[in-house]
Amino acid sequence: MSQSSGTLYVVATPIGNLGDMVPRAVHVLQSVALIACEDTRHSARLLEHFAITSRCVAYHDHSDDKRTEQILAQLQAGEEVALISDAGTPLVSDPGYRLVRAARHNGIRVVPIPGACAFVAALSAAGLPSNRFTFEGFLPAKAGARQAALAALADEPRTLIFYEAPHRVLACVKDMEQAFGSERELVIAREITKTFETIHTATAAQMVEWIAADSNQERGEIVLLVHGAPERKAGMSAEVERVMTLLLEELPVKQAAALGAKLTGGKKNELYQWALAQRQ
């Protein structure tokens, strides 16, 4: 790391309530030479509220390599730069990782300034298992791709967390009911830290009805959380169970296990014991 290089600060900002801005973040934003914002107009209210007058430039999904190089040049010249998103922690469902990666690749110090994060806040209040979870960000906007993505997660045992656009939330929950089953537990966390904050738990089927009955639930910033699938026994994937189920429709247990082992690469004895349990 060059002794003359500056520092890139990755600064979390509030997701709605300005009272959640941490003092360290205010100090850093007031002191840096440049703030790279996802949307300079959106961040203007926040910066004005905290009397932050540092110069701002836009850095977002459509920023080209030239903008990254410009920011890197300032860092390499010894200036300090802060990276912020529209709300919450940068790099969580936004393009900031490109700048962070480039900075680290060039030996520039990167310092996180922790603070609000919508999916972490939602998980903390959802009442779902939080020892293991997976954040999937935004699902595909098109129905077919979204349904395929959810189907691939149907057997995931960890708590699933998604961001979703308000105009797609009802369609998304309907797809979740189809992919995960009507009894899978869902939580919607909407407008977290804001006036109309809502955290609601229901089965997938109940959630579809609840959202459909109240158009207010299709407004604002939304986090969807899904209880993970029941843990499967080691060695028995959903695909192996599907193959064995089909074989048992036509063959005795012993033959089904033998053929299943050849088709799936599983252990014949484990498949035999599983098949016996299905016949009881």
Side-chain angles (χ1 to χ4, degrees):
M1 185 185 303
S2 172
Q3 292 298 317
S4 61
S5 65
T7 300
L8 175 62
Y9 293 96
V10 182
V11 182
T13 57
I15 57 178
N17 190 321
L18 293 178
D20 293 334
M21 186 75 163
V22 299
R24 186 181 177 205
V26 174
H27 173 74
V28 166
L29 293 179
Q30 288 174 335
S31 64
V32 295
L34 180 71
I35 301 173
C37 308
E38 189 174 357
D39 185 329
T40 55
R41 292 168 300 179
H42 182 92
S43 297
R45 174 172 169 264
L46 172 78
L47 301 179
E48 182 179 358
H49 180 83
F50 290 104
I52 296 166
T53 58
S54 303
R55 186 169 70 88
C56 297
V57 296
Y59 189 82
H60 46 68
D61 273 321
H62 305 293
S63 296
D64 56 20
D65 291 340
K66 185 177 180 180
R67 175 52 54 86
T68 300
E69 292 168 2
Q70 290 171 342
I71 297 173
L72 282 176
Q74 292 189 248
L75 287 163
Q76 290 168 328
E79 294 186 350
E80 295 190 328
V81 176
L83 173 67
I84 64 174
S85 64
D86 283 348
T89 301
L91 280 69
V92 179
S93 282
D94 76 43
Y97 79 92
R98 294 180 301 172
L99 178 58
V100 170
R101 185 177 181 85
R104 291 181 58 83
H105 179 75
N106 284 275
I108 294 167
R109 185 182 179 215
V110 178
V111 177
I113 309 297
C117 177
F119 91 77
V120 174
L123 180 63
S124 72
L128 294 178
S130 56
N131 56 320
R132 297 177 67 221
F133 60 88
T134 175
F135 173 64
E136 297 291 325
F138 284 94
L139 286 161
K142 293 185 177 179
R146 181 173 63 244
Q147 290 159 5
L150 290 170
L153 293 167
D155 295 315
E156 171 57 61
R158 295 172 293 179
T159 294
L160 301 168
I161 309 173
F162 306 89
Y163 287 162
E164 190 50 277
H167 64 279
R168 288 197 299 266
V169 67
L170 181 56
C172 180
V173 172
K174 287 179 178 178
D175 289 340
M176 287 179 171
E177 180 184 11
Q178 184 67 31
F180 304 144
S182 60
E183 295 303 310
R184 186 75 74 89
E185 185 179 9
L186 271 61
V187 178
I188 184 172
R190 190 178 65 85
E191 293 290 86
I192 298 173
T193 78
K194 301 176 185 177
T195 302
F196 298 104
E197 177 179 274
T198 302
I199 301 176
H200 181 74
T201 302
T203 66
Q206 292 169 340
M207 191 68 81
V208 169
E209 294 179 359
W210 185 74
I211 295 173
D214 183 1
S215 61
N216 286 322
Q217 305 312 322
E218 298 179 71
R219 299 176 182 175
E221 303 294 327
I222 294 171
V223 184
L224 287 171
L225 305 96
V226 183
H227 197 295
E231 293 275 7
R232 292 182 177 273
K233 292 184 178 179
M236 290 296 291
S237 68
E239 178 61 17
V240 173
E241 288 191 11
R242 187 185 72 83
V243 170
M244 286 300 298
T245 299
L246 292 173
L247 292 174
L248 285 171
E249 292 177 357
E250 305 293 337
L251 300 172
V253 169
K254 187 174 181 180
Q255 292 180 11
L259 183 55
K262 291 180 181 179
L263 291 173
T264 67
K267 294 182 179 180
K268 184 168 66 174
N269 186 54
E270 290 182 0
L271 298 181
Y272 179 77
Q273 294 298 325
W274 182 88
L276 280 180
Q278 308 313 302
R279 288 286 173 87
Q280 292 177 356

